[in-house]
Amino acid sequence: MMSKRHSMLLLYSIIVAVILGAATGWIMGEDALMFSWMGTLFLNALKMVVVPLIVAAIITGVSSLGDIRKLGKPGGITILFFLSSMLIAATVGMILAGVFVPGGDFHLVAKDAAALNAENATTISDVMLGLISPNIIASAANMELLQLIVFSIIFGAALTVTGEKGRVVSNFFESLNNIMMVMVGWIMYLSPFGIFALVATPIAEAGGGEAVLETFAAVGGYVLTVLSGLVVQAIILFLLLVFIARRGINYLGEISPALLTAFSTSSSSATVPLSMDCAEGAGLKKSPVRFVIPLGSTVNMNGTAVYQGVATIFLAQVYGLEVTFGSYIIISLSTALAAIGSAGIPQGGHIMTLMVFSIVGIPAEGFGLIVGVDWFLDRSRTTLNVWGDLVGAAILDRFMTGDT
Ligand code: ASP
């Protein structure tokens, strides 16, 4: 992982890149399109690692659950909580984006019109049939990511029941996951250049000049929508804390150092030690804390799901895509799965966001519109990710008897 000094340096470079990109698009207008290849290069580099990363991350995530036949009630409650809260989070994001319509007044034309396939899945049977691949190698080659995810979940689950005999394979996927994360770290060093070009390009395409203001208004609306979604989801989680875990504002006070750390590090994984300490300090038993928080830091990402839900609908609006009922279902499912697959590190959600876009047919270059503000949104959603884990631990604590 990147050192703290490097990630701060990267953060400053990204902020400078956003400002320079906007200024270049504004001043140079269409001429700024000569930089667009840098954005494409950055996106291609991210896409390059999508397939191996998703497969390795999901297989490792699922196999970390241990023998799924022995999960029992605590495991069941935890998984139910993780999945349902992320589905709710994605839905909150999509609904708010549908209500606020942040992409209503700003339009871009996709370079590759054929990519717009969000309308394809119109019925439940399409959605269901799209989940299982008749040929997993073809799915990997064609980036049929939803099918790969389903395969990886089943594979990971099967791996947990093979015990010693599956050890080599689970070690392999764990190493693969670590290696892919190192590669993502390297690709992030390209991000200031990529982000510069990705910010400049849509402004240049929209005609430079006053397009800057329109772009800023649309992106500003998007940021506000994501932030409102995060607040709504935080309140929903708080209600679950009050009504199911029977805890309230005191708990929030006790764990606030963990939330502040999440905001300042943009990393759920880096916050794990503090989250565990705060949760135990707030009086939770050790076993729910030790089960839910480490697992949740890689699997349970409410904030990431809200952001991906808003981002997808926002870009669908910008590209004039019609979002059907079937697409909503696909978006919420793939967003929940994408949030599970996102790593708990700064900008860990990027690759998975691109994955959701490719599943529903949003052009990857649309990412350019939202990536410039992500350094801020990442911090905010990480705080909600950690809050979700801490609420999950409190809920499980309530269902577990004994004082371990
Ligand atoms: N930074 C987030 C986390 O660590 C992941 C993301 O990029 O959404 O929780």
Side-chain angles (χ1 to χ4, degrees):
M1 245 170 59
M2 231 176 257
S3 71
K4 200 163 166 27
R5 207 172 69 92
H6 278 196
S7 47
M8 284 319 284
L9 219 69
L10 193 63
L11 173 64
Y12 295 137
S13 319
I14 289 175
I15 297 174
V16 172
V18 172
I19 298 169
L20 280 182
T24 309
W26 186 351
I27 296 163
M28 293 180 63
E30 293 221 327
D31 289 341
L33 290 178
M34 68 182 177
F35 298 115
S36 70
W37 65 271
M38 282 161 47
T40 313
L41 186 76
F42 174 55
L43 288 178
N44 284 352
L46 285 174
K47 283 195 222 159
M48 175 175 79
V49 292
V50 163
V51 168
L53 182 67
I54 289 176
V55 172
I58 293 190
I59 291 178
T60 321
V62 175
S63 58
S64 66
L65 289 174
D67 190 334
I68 49 153
R69 293 169 307 185
K70 299 195 190 122
L71 269 184
K73 197 171 149 199
I77 293 172
T78 308
I79 291 177
L80 185 72
F81 169 76
F82 284 175
L83 282 180
S84 46
S85 63
M86 278 188 289
L87 280 175
I88 296 173
T91 312
V92 164
M94 292 194 300
I95 292 178
L96 287 187
V99 172
F100 293 152
V101 206
D105 297 326
F106 182 77
H107 294 292
L108 289 175
V109 181
K111 284 202 189 95
D112 180 6
L116 304 184
N117 60 5
E119 300 101 279
N120 287 352
T122 42
T123 61
I124 297 286
S125 60
D126 286 339
V127 176
M128 296 309 288
L129 285 173
L131 294 180
I132 301 288
S133 162
N135 179 346
I136 198 65
I137 306 292
S139 303
N142 299 328
M143 300 249 282
E144 299 281 2
L145 300 175
L146 212 47
Q147 301 179 342
L148 272 182
I149 293 179
V150 173
F151 174 81
S152 308
I153 292 176
I154 302 172
F155 188 97
L159 203 55
T160 65
V161 302
T162 50
E164 254 327 294
K165 286 190 191 135
R167 183 82 59 225
V168 179
V169 175
S170 50
N171 287 346
F172 168 79
F173 280 109
E174 212 173 308
S175 310
L176 182 63
N177 191 29
N178 290 336
I179 296 167
M180 296 321 294
M181 289 319 299
V182 172
M183 284 179 67
V184 173
W186 287 344
I187 296 171
M188 288 317 290
Y189 285 117
L190 282 181
S191 62
F193 303 98
I195 290 173
F196 161 78
L198 288 169
V199 170
T201 305
I203 297 175
E205 269 169 356
E210 61 275 23
V212 176
L213 296 180
E214 283 170 31
T215 314
F216 278 8
V219 176
Y222 157 76
V223 170
L224 290 180
T225 312
V226 174
L227 292 178
S228 334
L230 295 178
V231 171
V232 170
Q233 183 67 10
I235 295 172
I236 294 177
L237 287 169
F238 185 74
L239 294 177
L240 294 180
L241 179 79
V242 172
F243 290 110
I244 304 183
R246 303 278 162 80
R247 286 174 185 270
I249 213 82
N250 287 346
Y251 184 70
L252 182 59
E254 295 271 5
I255 56 99
S256 55
L259 299 184
L260 289 172
T261 310
F263 187 79
S264 53
T265 58
S266 304
S267 166
S268 322
S269 297
T271 313
V272 166
L274 202 69
S275 303
M276 292 176 76
D277 194 53
C278 290
E280 284 183 17
L284 298 195
K285 297 183 228 27
K286 284 200 170 70
S287 51
V289 170
R290 290 188 182 167
F291 182 62
V292 174
I293 294 184
L295 185 66
S297 73
T298 50
V299 173
N300 184 38
M301 302 217 174
N302 277 254
T304 305
V306 168
Y307 139 78
Q308 285 165 338
V310 175
T312 311
I313 301 296
F314 168 65
L315 288 174
Q317 292 163 352
V318 167
Y319 286 104
L321 281 167
E322 189 205 337
V323 187
T324 59
F325 182 66
S327 320
Y328 271 112
I329 296 182
I330 292 213
I331 296 171
S332 59
L333 274 179
S334 35
T335 303
L337 294 170
I340 293 176
S342 301
I345 55 169
Q347 323 256 293
H350 274 2
I351 305 226
M352 296 295 161
T353 308
L354 282 175
M355 178 198 87
V356 178
F357 290 175
S358 110
I359 289 173
V360 295
I362 307 271
E365 73 252 23
F367 189 59
L369 208 56
I370 57 171
V371 72
V373 286
D374 208 60
W375 59 274
F376 175 66
L377 290 182
D378 189 17
R379 289 160 182 266
S380 317
R381 66 178 179 258
T382 306
T383 312
L384 186 63
N385 289 345
V386 170
W387 174 227
D389 299 339
L390 286 158
V391 170
I395 289 179
L396 188 62
D397 180 77
R398 167 127 182 95
F399 283 102
M400 283 173 101
T401 44
D403 52 2
T404 44

